[in-house]
Amino acid sequence: MLIRLFCLAFLCCSFALHAAPPVRGSIIEDRAARKLTEAGELRYDAGEQEKAIEIWRSVIERYPRSKARFQAHLKLGEHHLTKGNAYEKARAHFEAVASEDNNDGQQRAEATLKMGVCFFEGRHYGQCFKVMRKVIEEFPVAEQVNEAYYYIGLGHFKQGHYGRAIAALEKVGTAVGDKDQNAEKLESGKRFFVKIEDADLAILKKGEAVTVKVSTSEGDEELVKCVPIGRNVRVVLGSIPTRLGKPRPGNGILEVTGTAKVQVDYTDAHTAARAFNVDRKKQVTVVGNALVQVMDGAFAETLRGVVLGKEANVQVSDADRDVSDAADTLKVKVEVLRPKTPLEIEEEKAKLIAEGALHPATPGEKPLPILPGSEPIEAQLEVDPFKVIDTVELTLTEALRKVEEKLIKKSANPPAGENSPAAAPEPKGEDLVKEIEQQQNDGSIHTGLFRGTVPVESAEVVVVGDPRLQAQPGDLIRLSYTDTLNIGAGPRDLATAAKCVEGNLGGVRVTRTEISDAELELKTKLKTASALTQIGTQYRDFGLDEKAKLKYEEALGVCEEVVTRARKIGGSLLEETYMQLWRIYFSMDRLNLAAAMSLRLQREFPESIYLDEAILQQARVAQKSGDFARAIAIYTNLTRLTKSQLRGEGQYGIGECYEAMAKAARGNAEQMYERAFQAYKTVFDKFPESGRVGDAVAKMASFYYQKKDYARAVDVFEKVLSDHPDANFLDVILFNYGRCLFRMNRKAEASKRFNQLIDEFPGSSLAPEAKRISQALTKAGN
């Protein structure tokens, strides 16, 4: 028996050729590449995406042997996936990270997962399932397993396979690695999950729960009901919300503080050693992920600037520093940084080179630009481009949140008539006010928010040792704090910075937003069109055709407005516009326009990364319109693109076309069926990595059934069910599987397969017939 506990934020997607594996980079190269990568992250966080991308690309080019290049690949892939919707570009970077050259298992698991997300976002669900299953099989203890199950569930949902979607989504949150240190920690304010694995739980009845006791070292005690996870009744899962506060046993919420230990007690009724009613205990530590910020005067919004002559408002959020009922304190370091002059930087570089601590730049290397206003700035260069002018150690005091202060004032001085029944607050608000009143009355403060202020003067002369900061316009105010306890493996050094300015930051209102860069404006509109198209598709999937049509037309209007101006700019912008247009046309079933736009994309951008997808869509247009000969020719062209990941899709499309031609044929149907069979077999033989393998094998089995080769059909059916659990047409497979078993006089097994179809695919058109056959078999005693 094993108890596993974890805290989870719960939610219910460059090619390099080497003759030999690359040689491991030196420690110096790794350090330089790592700092460049961090510099790119700072640029990206500051909104300078193009410069960040340039830095990450330079890491890959300048340090091809360094292990830090994989992090740069990850960052570039994440950008293309989330910001640019360039799924092919993103997947190329993730493939580089997932290669066997990378020894970091965590990075490989993340990259493999993201490869699957790229396929999911591109609606290649078969390939998405294949990659996600690879995550589950090759990285069984990685945290990415939960996300893999999540995307498998979403993919099946989008395809209308609701039974398989539920089965996959039921497994989200059940995978926790044995070495996962996060499972030994509880982040205050997050939901606390309890997972129990015990063979005794096999006797649980449907709907039955297991109750465990969760207690804290400070006196809170709650009961948590754990329910079976899906059909695996050997595992049960329960949860309870947590928050900072004084213990109130039995209220359904686990109150903790920064010093608390949380213990789970479970009674193991029967152990492997044949003992009875053995108490099993598990303890976790309460932690908090800290956040440092420079705030406005009301402590409501973060700022990136500090006005000289006023105060800098500092806030740190760290739940594990709330250790008592009183207002706790913590210390932070606040510094004034000033850019070094070019002469000072050169002199410091020369000194470091002379000492051997810094290697001179390779001829031809471009110097990295300095990023003001972000931390840690040292990550950008071997020589820190800033110097410390003034330093103050500031003590921050735990404070109430503004909303709590308002509720306390309101409860202490209620307006006239507020106590009447008609004006009574809602129960949740009333409970909150009562709890805050209790907290205020007993003098306790449990927020984990620590605040303080430090005056910032405009002065050229620094007064050493005084509680004020002396700075000049253009200087940076840097706030530094060490988060000793957190959800990670060790301490984290956190920092943020704000620029010193003259004047006033308050009272600024935006009256007009205007994008001056024409290309940026058009890219923004393209993203709008993409979002509208996706919304329309969601409406269509739910049967809301009229709303879907409106969204598609709105997206088309945006794109048609863009295309005229995009032709003047050309390049990747025009390429993305064409791509978006044919996606909209195809979604609207305007097949001729979709085909024309696909041809234009191929003609004007023959090297486009979207070329294979455009060819695939063009073939599907021809197939959908009944022009099977043309569709087969286009699919065949797709299979010849050796670097395309969609060749398997093309080969499967050829099989579909021949099968459709066989159904429509009168004289030579058998010949067409044979060609379809060979096309599906080619998917299995030549494209084993394709997401269509399971579907192709299922089609092969159906042909065996039609030829009454039941034994071979059964062998293929069993292979599909065991090796390709996400294949399409599983309802058809189960139905034909049952019919084969019936023909082979294995009627009891046939009944099981028909019942499986009814349970897992109740919405299938074959379910009523399967139910009728199952009932007949039951009456016959099978």
Side-chain angles (χ1 to χ4, degrees):
M1 195 286 301
L2 173 66
I3 299 179
R4 292 182 181 174
L5 310 176
F6 56 98
C7 180
L8 182 67
F10 194 55
L11 180 62
C12 291
C13 148
S14 106
F15 290 104
L17 298 177
H18 300 284
V23 181
R24 171 75 168 82
S26 67
I27 295 176
I28 295 174
E29 282 186 347
D30 286 345
R31 182 174 61 180
R34 187 171 59 253
K35 289 191 174 183
L36 273 178
T37 305
E38 292 172 355
E41 293 174 13
L42 291 170
R43 285 280 186 184
Y44 200 87
D45 292 341
E48 301 181 23
Q49 296 181 357
E50 294 299 327
K51 292 180 180 178
I53 291 169
E54 182 182 346
I55 292 173
W56 289 330
R57 285 174 179 165
S58 72
V59 172
I60 298 170
E61 294 169 0
R62 293 164 63 180
Y63 305 102
R65 299 178 301 170
S66 171
K67 63 182 181 181
R69 72 185 187 276
F70 295 120
Q71 184 65 20
H73 274 301
L74 273 178
K75 292 295 181 181
L76 286 169
E78 192 70 32
H79 167 77
H80 291 308
L81 173 61
T82 58
K83 303 295 184 183
N85 295 332
Y87 308 126
E88 292 296 318
K89 289 181 180 179
R91 188 161 48 79
H93 287 290
F94 293 135
E95 285 175 349
V97 181
S99 67
E100 294 183 357
D101 296 337
N102 189 0
N103 296 323
D104 190 327
Q106 175 67 21
Q107 283 187 346
R108 291 182 62 197
E110 181 68 17
T112 307
L113 176 78
K114 295 297 185 182
M115 286 166 57
V117 175
C118 290
F119 283 126
F120 175 84
E121 296 294 346
R123 299 187 182 183
H124 304 303
Y125 299 121
Q127 289 165 298
C128 169
F129 295 147
K130 195 173 187 69
V131 174
M132 293 305 180
R133 293 290 177 186
K134 183 178 180 182
V135 174
I136 295 167
E137 292 169 6
E138 295 189 3
F139 310 98
V141 298
E143 61 184 9
Q144 286 79 10
V145 169
N146 291 310
E147 291 186 72
Y149 278 125
Y150 174 71
Y151 277 104
I152 290 172
L154 283 189
H156 282 306
F157 175 80
K158 287 183 175 294
Q159 291 182 302
H161 305 154
Y162 302 121
R164 280 184 281 174
I166 292 171
L169 292 173
E170 281 176 341
K171 296 177 182 177
V172 176
T174 63
V176 180
D178 294 330
K179 297 181 180 180
D180 189 355
Q181 295 186 357
N182 293 353
E184 307 296 327
K185 297 177 181 180
L186 164 61
E187 186 175 358
S188 176
K190 298 292 183 69
R191 183 167 284 272
F192 181 52
F193 284 82
V194 179
K195 178 182 177 183
I196 303 174
E197 297 179 17
D198 189 352
D200 299 344
L201 301 178
I203 63 173
L204 283 180
K205 297 179 182 178
K206 186 176 181 180
E208 192 174 353
V210 175
T211 301
V212 298
K213 184 176 73 173
V214 181
S215 57
T216 70
S217 56
E218 296 175 341
D220 198 3
E221 186 175 302
E222 306 292 341
L223 296 179
V224 177
K225 288 186 176 181
C226 301
V227 297
I229 297 298
R231 298 175 180 84
N232 184 5
V233 295
R234 292 170 178 261
V235 179
V236 293
L237 186 70
S239 67
I240 185 172
T242 70
R243 70 179 174 201
L244 290 172
K246 295 192 71 171
R248 295 182 178 86
N251 67 346
I253 300 175
L254 197 65
E255 282 90 8
V256 297
T257 65
T259 58
K261 300 286 184 181
V262 177
Q263 179 172 297
V264 178
D265 293 274
Y266 168 70
T267 302
D268 189 1
H270 187 194
T271 71
R274 299 184 179 181
F276 297 94
N277 297 326
V278 176
D279 289 334
R280 304 289 187 181
K281 302 180 185 297
K282 185 73 175 181
Q283 270 198 355
V284 297
T285 304
V286 174
V287 300
N289 271 2
L291 177 67
V292 296
Q293 298 168 296
V294 177
M295 309 292 291
D296 62 5
F299 287 94
E301 297 180 359
T302 58
L303 297 178
R304 301 298 294 176
V306 173
V307 178
L308 293 174
K310 296 190 176 182
E311 293 180 329
N313 302 292
V314 175
Q315 176 175 288
V316 173
S317 174
D318 193 357
D320 55 60
R321 295 301 297 269
D322 174 40
V323 296
S324 69
D325 291 339
D328 297 296
T329 62
L330 57 79
K331 293 184 181 297
V332 297
K333 183 168 67 173
V334 188
E335 300 171 301
V336 175
L337 304 180
R338 185 168 298 163
K340 295 176 182 176
T341 64
L343 180 59
E344 289 174 327
I345 292 176
E346 290 302 320
E347 289 178 350
E348 191 168 346
K349 280 185 178 180
K351 181 180 179 182
L352 290 173
I353 291 173
E355 295 174 353
L358 178 67
H359 290 267
T362 304
E365 284 187 347
K366 292 187 292 184
L368 287 174
I370 296 174
L371 173 64
S374 298
E375 295 299 329
I377 298 171
E378 296 86 349
Q380 299 187 63
L381 294 171
E382 293 287 352
V383 175
D384 189 345
F386 290 85
K387 54 187 176 183
V388 178
I389 301 300
D390 198 2
T391 303
V392 168
E393 188 177 67
L394 184 62
T395 299
L396 306 185
T397 305
E398 190 174 15
L400 290 171
R401 302 175 192 270
K402 291 297 178 182
V403 65
E404 293 173 349
E405 293 176 358
K406 291 179 181 178
L407 284 171
I408 290 171
K409 291 177 181 178
K410 183 178 179 181
S411 62
N413 302 291
E418 188 170 294
N419 293 325
S420 64
E426 292 293 326
K428 289 184 179 179
E430 182 179 315
D431 292 342
L432 180 59
V433 170
K434 286 181 179 178
E435 288 183 14
I436 295 173
E437 285 177 336
Q438 290 174 1
Q439 194 178 88
Q440 183 73 0
N441 292 336
D442 61 22
S444 64
I445 296 179
H446 296 284
T447 62
L449 286 177
F450 298 83
R451 294 169 176 166
T453 61
V454 56
V456 182
E457 299 177 342
S458 178
E460 296 183 2
V461 180
V462 175
V463 181
V464 179
D466 73 332
R468 299 172 178 270
L469 292 173
Q470 284 79 37
Q472 295 180 6
D475 290 347
L476 296 179
I477 302 294
R478 179 167 65 182
L479 169 64
S480 305
Y481 172 70
T482 299
D483 184 13
T484 307
L485 291 176
N486 55 76
I487 202 70
R492 298 187 307 156
D493 291 325
L494 305 177
T496 188
K499 194 170 185 177
C500 294
V501 298
E502 292 181 307
N504 195 344
L505 294 176
V508 178
R509 289 184 295 175
V510 178
T511 58
R512 186 180 179 187
T513 302
E514 202 172 277
I515 304 176
S516 57
D517 189 299
E519 186 172 353
L520 179 59
E521 180 186 358
L522 295 181
K523 284 184 177 179
T524 304
K525 289 185 176 181
L526 277 180
K527 290 182 179 179
T528 302
S530 176
L532 289 169
T533 306
Q534 292 177 22
I535 293 171
T537 302
Q538 292 291 338
Y539 279 137
R540 185 188 62 191
D541 291 344
F542 284 103
L544 304 173
D545 293 337
E546 287 301 320
K547 290 188 175 181
K549 183 180 178 181
L550 289 174
K551 290 300 176 183
Y552 287 143
E553 289 177 349
E554 192 177 347
L556 183 59
V558 174
C559 254
E560 288 176 342
E561 180 186 346
V562 169
V563 70
T564 305
R565 297 170 61 189
R567 286 196 183 100
K568 298 177 181 178
I569 298 175
S572 62
L573 180 64
L574 183 59
E575 177 187 356
E576 291 177 16
T577 305
Y578 286 164
M579 177 197 71
Q580 188 59 46
L581 275 171
W582 63 249
R583 283 180 175 171
I584 296 171
Y585 287 139
F586 191 78
S587 299
M588 298 177 74
D589 282 334
R590 297 184 182 180
L591 303 183
N592 292 336
L593 291 174
M597 192 54 61
S598 176
L599 283 172
R600 177 173 289 182
L601 178 65
Q602 295 173 52
R603 184 172 60 251
E604 296 186 21
F605 299 95
E607 301 297 325
S608 171
I609 61 171
Y610 307 113
L611 181 63
D612 55 353
E613 192 173 352
I615 294 174
L616 178 64
Q617 293 297 339
Q618 187 181 355
R620 285 176 175 170
V621 168
Q623 180 182 350
K624 196 171 182 179
S625 60
D627 191 351
F628 299 118
R630 176 174 170 75
I632 290 172
I634 299 173
Y635 279 133
T636 302
N637 289 336
L638 177 59
T639 62
R640 293 169 180 165
L641 298 178
T642 56
K643 293 184 179 181
S644 173
Q645 295 285 332
L646 301 179
R647 290 188 298 161
E649 291 278 350
Q651 186 62 44
Y652 186 83
I654 293 172
E656 284 185 315
C657 290
Y658 279 127
E659 187 177 358
M661 292 168 71
K663 291 177 181 178
R666 295 180 179 178
N668 61 342
E670 188 65 28
Q671 182 182 358
M672 290 299 175
Y673 274 124
E674 183 61 31
R675 289 186 179 181
F677 177 84
Q678 293 301 326
Y680 292 132
K681 188 173 184 297
T682 303
V683 177
F684 180 78
D685 293 337
K686 293 187 176 181
F687 307 106
E689 296 301 318
S690 169
R692 284 293 195 173
V693 169
D695 298 340
V697 175
K699 290 286 189 179
M700 292 166 60
S702 295
F703 285 124
Y704 285 133
Y705 176 80
Q706 291 174 10
K707 293 180 178 181
K708 298 183 179 180
D709 190 350
Y710 302 127
R712 186 177 291 183
V714 166
D715 289 341
V716 176
F717 285 140
E718 289 177 348
K719 182 174 180 61
V720 174
L721 292 174
S722 62
D723 297 348
H724 306 283
D726 302 303
N728 290 311
F729 320 117
L730 277 189
D731 54 340
V732 178
I733 292 172
L734 289 170
F735 188 77
N736 288 335
Y737 191 4
R739 291 200 296 174
C740 285
L741 293 170
F742 179 83
R743 298 292 183 189
M744 297 171 70
N745 205 30
R746 295 161 60 180
K747 296 180 180 178
E749 296 176 61
S751 181
K752 289 181 181 178
R753 293 304 175 185
F754 288 126
N755 289 332
Q756 183 180 351
L757 189 158
I758 296 166
D759 290 340
E760 296 185 6
F761 302 93
S764 170
S765 60
L766 296 172
E769 181 67 12
K771 187 175 182 179
R772 188 183 66 81
I773 297 173
S774 177
Q775 289 173 345
L777 289 171
T778 302
K779 288 181 181 180
N782 296 292

